[in-house]
């Protein structure tokens, strides 16, 4: 029967295991409990780290503890002993004679006289283990005991008590492993979140700096650096590193060739400081090992930065001597860092290309505007001379019919030059000088101005909302008049005989609109898409027969936008068109912007 003291100790251990988060203290108490309560001379608990069992908790004589503590044994050796052992429940007993000579030389053997005549006497080469598993069957560690009470093979009751202590050690290790996994998951998620968020920062260099810092803090590296290089000659070479700052000398050019020669990406490549060769890093191995020695690293992990199957850079993680190997979860997280950084690099390259193209387009637009203005100015002087001399000749020789054609076409060319100059000016203008303007008065003036042309074309022209009174807006009166004149002029110009043009105004709480509606030839849907584009002329043969520059509507729209308004069109081919000019409504009491 188990002693009352042993049961009390077990109950206390069970309570502590289920409530405490200090696994080291719990394991220490279990090892000492096996010695103090069950009477074993030595109890040692080893924890599995990677593929090695490390002795972390030992109870027994001080000289024995000094010999055994922190001893490292390949897990495969212990598992091999388990396969040769007798099964005592969850315990594994290896009788003397079954252990290999190599294992005996590595094991601690007590100084004990064996009694070969007594089959139950404890032999110095006997070994008794308790494998420590999780609930899912994962090996977490091992507990070894030696020198049982009275130096005799433990009885069934003693084994059951030892099993109870071993079960508590397994539970403690299992709880610790789950806490570690949860902590690792949170830690790795924080790293990945930081790396992913670095893409929103201003500039690729800053994003790389944030990313390498996050990786270094998460994985406890001796050094991390990342390097990007251009794709198809686009983008700059950038680098970032921590804790030592990045310098171009750190870059290993041969590493790019090694990574480009890999059959599959992404993949992690590991290299030790003393490795004699490397299958995947044959060109860069020696230089990488030099970098390791410079930063006192024992091994390096190389992670390619890949985006859309293209290599855009690499990251190198240096680990100090005796640092633990990366877990599978950490390796997956580093691969994800490589993918995220690859996307950030590509996005940066695309942004750089877009910004360069935008700058080039702005330069082209500026050059075009300057060219138009220069040519227009240069044409204006000779045109004025041609028109003046033509009118002089017409006065002296009124019978010369060709002079009228010269004057008519010179005037048309002069109008084109005037429109070109105005278009050039409004393209570069950011703001307009505003004052109070009666929009109704501008509409009346436009209708009066073009009424003679309408009569000549036998087109009815009317302003239908005179009774509204003054409609005050703020703007440049000459430019606003140009918009309305253009709308009315186009309506009259493209309306056949016996047609009609109506100018109307509508006022709401915050805006006023001027609508010019005609019963003209209309505009096709294909032409409507380009009607406000500079120099565009309709594809309709009837419209092409009427002279025009293709600049009136683009100028009018630019003026409307510069005043905070809009110029819109609705039209049906063969039925007519309506142009709507809308402006924000202001009273004379409103402040002028």
């Amino acid at each position: 029967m188990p002693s009352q003291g042993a049961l009390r100790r077990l109950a206390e251990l069970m309570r502590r295991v289920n409530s405490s988060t200090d696994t080291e203290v719990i394991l220490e108490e279990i090892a000492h409990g096996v010695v103090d309560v069950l009477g074993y001379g030595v109890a040692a608990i080893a924890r599995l780290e990677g593929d090695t069992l490390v002795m972390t908790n030992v109870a027994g004589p001080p000289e024995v503890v000094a010999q055994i503590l922190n001893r490292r044994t390949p897990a495969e050796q212990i598992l091999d002993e388990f396969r040769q052992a007798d099964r005592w429940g969850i315990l594994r007993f290896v009788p003397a004679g079954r252990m290999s000579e190599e294992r005996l030389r590595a094991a601690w053997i007590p100084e004990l006289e064996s009694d070969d005549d007594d089959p139950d006497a404890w032999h110095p080469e006997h070994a008794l283990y308790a494998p420590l598993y999780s609930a899912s069957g994962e090996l977490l560690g091992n507990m070894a005991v030696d020198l049982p009470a009275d130096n005799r093979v433990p009885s069934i009751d003693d084994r059951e008590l030892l099993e109870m202590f071993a079960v508590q050690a397994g539970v403690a290790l299992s709880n610790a492993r789950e806490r570690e996994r949860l902590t690792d998951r949170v830690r790795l998620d924080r790293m990945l979140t930081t790396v992913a968020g670095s893409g929103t920062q201003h500039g690729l260099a800053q994003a790389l700096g944030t990313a390498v810092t996050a990786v270094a803090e998460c994985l406890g590296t001796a050094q991390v650096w990342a390097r990007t290089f251009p794709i198809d000659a686009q983008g700059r070479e950038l680098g970032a590193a921590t804790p030592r700052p990045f310098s171009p000398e750190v870059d290993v050019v041969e590493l790019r060739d090694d990574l480009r020669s890999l059959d599959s990406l992404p993949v992690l490549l590991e290299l030790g400081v003393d490795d004699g060769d490397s299958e995947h890093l044959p060109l860069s191995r020696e230089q990488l090992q030099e970098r390791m020695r410079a930063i006192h690293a024992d091994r390096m992990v190389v992670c390619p930065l890949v985006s859309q199957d293209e290599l855009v850079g690499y990251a190198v993680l240096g680990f100090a001597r005796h640092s633990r190997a990366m877990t599978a979860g950490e390796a997956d997280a580093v691969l994800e860092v490589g993918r995220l950084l690859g996307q950030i690099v590509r996005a940066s390259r695309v942004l750089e290309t877009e910004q360069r193209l935008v700058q080039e387009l702005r330069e082209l637009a500026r050059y075009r505007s300057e060219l138009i203005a220069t040519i227009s100015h240069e044409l204006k002087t000779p045109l004025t001379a041609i028109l003046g001399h033509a009118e002089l000749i017409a006065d002296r020789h009124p019978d010369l019919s060709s002079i009228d054609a010269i004057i008519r076409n010179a005037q048309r060319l002069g109008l084109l030059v005037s429109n070109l100059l105005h278009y050039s000016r409004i393209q570069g203008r950011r703001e307009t000088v505003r004052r109070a303007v009666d929009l109704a008065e501008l509409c009346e003036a436009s209708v009066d101005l073009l009424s003679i042309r309408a009569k000549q074309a036998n087109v009815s022209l009317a302003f239908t909302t005179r009774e509204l009174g003054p409609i005050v807006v703020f703007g440049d009166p000459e430019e606003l008049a140009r918009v309305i004149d253009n709308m009315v002029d186009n309506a009259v110009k493209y309306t056949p005989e016996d047609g009609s043009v109506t100018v109307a105004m509508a006022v709401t709480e915050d805006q006023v609109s001027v609508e010019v509606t005609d019963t003209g030839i209309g505009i096709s849907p294909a032409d409507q898409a380009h009607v406000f584009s500079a120099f565009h002329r309709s594809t309709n043969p009837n419209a092409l027969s009427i002279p025009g520059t293709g600049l009136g509507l683009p100028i009018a729209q630019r003026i409307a936008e510069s005043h905070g308004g809009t110029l819109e069109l609705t039209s049906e081919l063969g039925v007519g068109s309506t142009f709507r000019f809308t402006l924000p409504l202001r009273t004379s009491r409103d402040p002028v912007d």
Side-chain angles (χ1 to χ4, degrees), residues 168-248:
Q168 296 309 308
V171 171
L173 286 179
S174 183
N175 291 343
R177 177 61 58 88
E178 288 304 314
R179 285 194 297 271
E180 288 173 1
R181 285 175 176 168
L182 180 60
T183 302
D184 285 348
R185 192 177 302 119
V186 172
R187 174 172 56 89
L188 295 174
D189 285 347
R190 186 184 301 116
M191 175 185 71
L192 292 176
T193 300
T194 302
V195 173
S198 68
T200 62
Q201 296 178 342
H202 181 70
L204 179 57
Q206 187 174 351
L208 287 176
T210 300
V212 298
T213 300
V215 171
E217 292 176 351
C218 177
L219 301 179
T221 57
Q223 180 73 12
V224 179
W225 80 82
R227 184 67 155 161
T228 69
F229 35 86
I231 311 170
D232 298 331
Q234 293 185 8
R236 295 173 295 148
E237 292 195 16
L238 293 174
T242 189
R244 296 171 179 82
F246 182 84
S247 63

Side-chain angles (χ1 to χ4, degrees), residues 428-493:
R429 183 179 297 176
R430 298 295 179 188
E431 298 179 356
T432 58
V433 179
R434 300 182 181 184
R435 63 181 178 84
V437 180
D438 183 356
L439 203 61
E441 185 178 307
L442 294 183
C443 291
E444 290 180 0
S446 181
V447 170
D448 290 342
L449 175 67
L450 294 165
S451 60
I452 297 176
R453 182 181 297 178
K455 288 180 182 178
Q456 292 173 345
N458 198 22
V459 172
S460 170
L461 174 61
F463 179 36
T464 62
T465 49
R466 295 174 184 269
E467 67 276 5
L468 288 175
I471 304 297
V472 178
V473 297
F474 277 80
D476 186 322
E478 292 185 6
E479 292 196 342
L480 295 178
R482 180 182 285 270
V483 176
I484 297 172
D485 288 348
N486 181 269
M487 294 165 62
V488 177
D489 183 52
N490 281 347
V492 172
K493 187 190 300 183

Side-chain angles (χ1 to χ4, degrees), residues 40 88 91 153-164:
Y40 286 87
W88 290 354
L91 304 178
V153 174
S155 66
I156 294 177
D157 290 341
D158 291 337
R159 296 174 202 168
E160 290 178 351
L161 278 175
L162 181 60
E163 284 183 344
M164 293 179 186

